[in-house]
Amino acid sequence: MVSRNDNASRTKKRRSNAIAQERKAPDRRKQVTEAAARSFATFGYKGTTMDQVAKLAKVGKGTIYTFYANKEELFNEIMTGLIRDLREVAEETLDPSLPFADNLMNVLHRVLDYRDRHALAVKLSQEVRDIGTPEAKEGLETVERAIIGYIARHVKEAADKGEIRPCPPELTAYMMLKMYLALTAEGNHLHEPLGRDEVLRHFRVYCIEGLAVR
Amino acid sequence: MVSRNDNASRTKKRRSNAIAQERKAPDRRKQVTEAAARSFATFGYKGTTMDQVAKLAKVGKGTIYTFYANKEELFNEIMTGLIRDLREVAEETLDPSLPFADNLMNVLHRVLDYRDRHALAVKLSQEVRDIGTPEAKEGLETVERAIIGYIARHVKEAADKGEIRPCPPELTAYMMLKMYLALTAEGNHLHEPLGRDEVLRHFRVYCIEGLAVR
DNA sequence: CGATTGACCAAATTGTTATTTTGGTCAGTC
DNA sequence: GACTGACCAAAATAACAATTTGGTCAATCG
């Protein structure tokens, strides 16, 4: 449990002037983090060994532990990065002058393009399904909560502005995520995998406009 | 695989005039089937042993095999019964003179009351989640397909009549089922378990009316 | 005589022990 | 002092023994 690396992950010191990072001086931390991201996305949490990460990062195993106290912390960093990336995509797509529904569709549109970004989530879902790795499960739930929280804030805002009907924001965000997953999940033999445009079109109908004729 | 019981499940012969079933003459088949239904709902597929069923049914183990060739066939009968019951509830609730949306809500209303009828499905879902019993998984998928097929027929009909927007019936039915499960699934710590009325109210919004203001 | 039963058996499951793999450390190298 | 990889305890896996379970059928019963 305890180790000399209690504060390892918060290593801020990057001495040797930050600007002259130009050539050489391989950034160990980046190597490790990227190798880990690739490995987790390819082999899942269990399937990723620290030796594996070290080899992929072309780094001695001990080096990993100068940045991350243990495997779980390394995994957390990767998952946090996923959340950060998603939020970033959303943030730079959102246009406050547009209606909620348009923003929703635009963000969806962009997120759907990051198939590789999904690779991690897909692999982890499969891992949870097949062997139920607790760490993978918890990681995914953290991402879900983050996404739901993010959507919920915007739903509440839109509801307050009268752009959409009044509705419980959290539950609505939850339903949106579920619909998104139902439409995109390929591990489902109940319906064919849908193309990006179909996903968008159907999401609009089921979520925004409703089935009722008007 | 093969056995003397190839046609066991299709035992139709119930000699000794069918009417005088009044007293005595314990109906072995019924005993077995009901005991199995109770056992599967309580202990799941794996947790149910043939000895257990025999004891519950107060019947020798061999007797079970005069009606069902094996455990899987017995399980199938139970699952088929569940589908039949659900369809029956729907059928006797449906009123052709009412709009699609009203019928949908009415059926939902009635189905939500059969908590005990859900017990089997709930137990099997849990079993699939926890230990992934393939038979349980397949059984649930059969039920899902039946429900989706049933809903899809009515969706298509309603769409043809112009009662709802045009939409792919199968996919729409699939989404409806997913929404229902998302709203009712209690194994979900992402949101509180909803009461019957809340489920109904939200289902109407998310599925029929949509979030858009009109 | 056909319906019913429970001891019986092969196969699958579970419990147990031996072997290997893996997360994490740290003395030594560069 | 950043970095490494042989090293170790603990966890995972494989190999094997003991138990349980699905399914059978000769014997029994009504």
Side-chain angles (χ1 to χ4, degrees), chain A residues 172 174 188 206 208 211 214, chain B residues 172 174 188 206 208 211-212 214:
Chain A
T172 303
Y174 175 74
N188 212 328
Y206 298 125
I208 308 283
L211 285 167
R214 42 188 81 199
Chain B
T172 304
Y174 175 74
N188 213 327
Y206 297 125
I208 309 283
L211 285 167
R214 39 188 80 201

Side-chain angles (χ1 to χ4, degrees), chain A residues 67-78:
Chain A
F67 303 120
Y68 303 100
N70 51 42
K71 186 179 179 180
E72 210 166 324
E73 199 176 285
L74 174 57
F75 182 61
N76 273 350
E77 172 74 15
I78 306 300

Side-chain angles (χ1 to χ4, degrees), chain B residues 40-187:
Chain B
F40 282 128
T42 312
F43 306 105
Y45 183 86
K46 266 217 66 177
T48 293
T49 71
M50 296 305 260
D51 276 318
Q52 164 97 295
V53 173
K55 198 165 289 178
L56 265 176
K58 282 171 191 156
V59 149
K61 186 159 60 157
T63 303
I64 301 176
Y65 290 88
T66 55
F67 302 121
Y68 304 100
N70 51 44
K71 187 180 180 181
E72 210 166 325
E73 200 175 285
L74 173 58
F75 182 61
N76 274 351
E77 172 75 15
I78 306 301
M79 296 308 275
T80 305
L82 173 66
I83 295 175
R84 183 169 13 81
D85 286 355
L86 284 175
R87 175 172 287 130
E88 211 166 284
V89 168
E91 219 64 62
E92 69 189 27
T93 306
L94 282 174
D95 179 347
S97 69
L98 256 40
F100 172 81
D102 289 351
N103 272 321
L104 180 62
M105 294 308 286
N106 286 339
V107 171
L108 219 59
H109 190 283
R110 291 220 35 208
V111 169
L112 276 167
D113 277 341
Y114 287 89
R115 281 282 154 191
D116 51 314
R117 206 67 63 87
H118 282 43
L120 217 194
V122 169
K123 183 67 198 177
L124 291 179
S125 300
Q126 180 211 316
E127 187 177 349
V128 170
R129 212 175 14 78
D130 295 348
I131 46 178
T133 317
E135 290 89 345
K137 189 172 176 179
E138 204 178 324
L140 281 177
E141 278 170 7
T142 303
V143 175
E144 277 200 7
R145 273 193 296 274
I147 294 178
I148 290 175
Y150 185 85
I151 300 180
R153 286 210 309 282
H154 287 271
V155 166
K156 177 162 171 31
E157 207 178 298
D160 288 344
K161 278 202 248 172
E163 288 198 88
I164 59 174
R165 305 164 160 250
C167 58
E170 287 274 331
L171 181 61
T172 304
Y174 175 74
M175 294 298 285
M176 285 184 179
L177 183 59
K178 283 292 171 192
M179 282 192 223
Y180 174 82
L181 293 176
L183 284 170
T184 56
E186 50 242 48

Side-chain angles (χ1 to χ4, degrees), chain A residues 195-209:
Chain A
R196 202 198 51 182
D197 293 342
E198 289 168 308
V199 169
L200 284 171
R201 206 173 62 242
H202 291 124
F203 188 87
R204 164 162 252 130
V205 171
Y206 298 125
C207 189
I208 308 283
E209 303 174 343

Side-chain angles (χ1 to χ4, degrees), chain A residues 98-171:
Chain A
L98 256 40
F100 171 81
D102 290 350
N103 272 323
L104 181 60
M105 294 308 287
N106 287 340
V107 171
L108 219 60
H109 189 284
R110 291 223 30 211
V111 169
L112 277 167
D113 277 341
Y114 287 89
R115 282 281 154 193
D116 52 312
R117 209 65 65 85
H118 283 42
L120 217 194
V122 169
K123 182 67 197 175
L124 292 178
S125 301
Q126 181 209 317
E127 187 177 351
V128 170
R129 212 174 16 78
D130 295 349
I131 46 178
T133 317
E135 289 89 347
K137 190 172 175 178
E138 204 178 324
L140 282 176
E141 278 170 7
T142 303
V143 175
E144 277 201 6
R145 274 193 296 273
I147 294 178
I148 291 176
Y150 185 85
I151 301 180
R153 285 211 309 282
H154 287 269
V155 166
K156 178 160 170 32
E157 205 178 300
D160 287 346
K161 279 200 247 172
E163 289 198 88
I164 60 174
R165 305 163 161 251
C167 58
E170 287 273 331
L171 181 62

Side-chain angles (χ1 to χ4, degrees), chain A residues 3-17:
Chain A
S3 79
R4 65 190 168 86
N5 276 324
D6 301 304
N7 60 345
S9 68
R10 264 167 290 287
T11 307
K12 287 287 167 58
K13 49 190 168 187
R14 195 116 299 283
R15 184 214 356 60
S16 75
N17 75 23

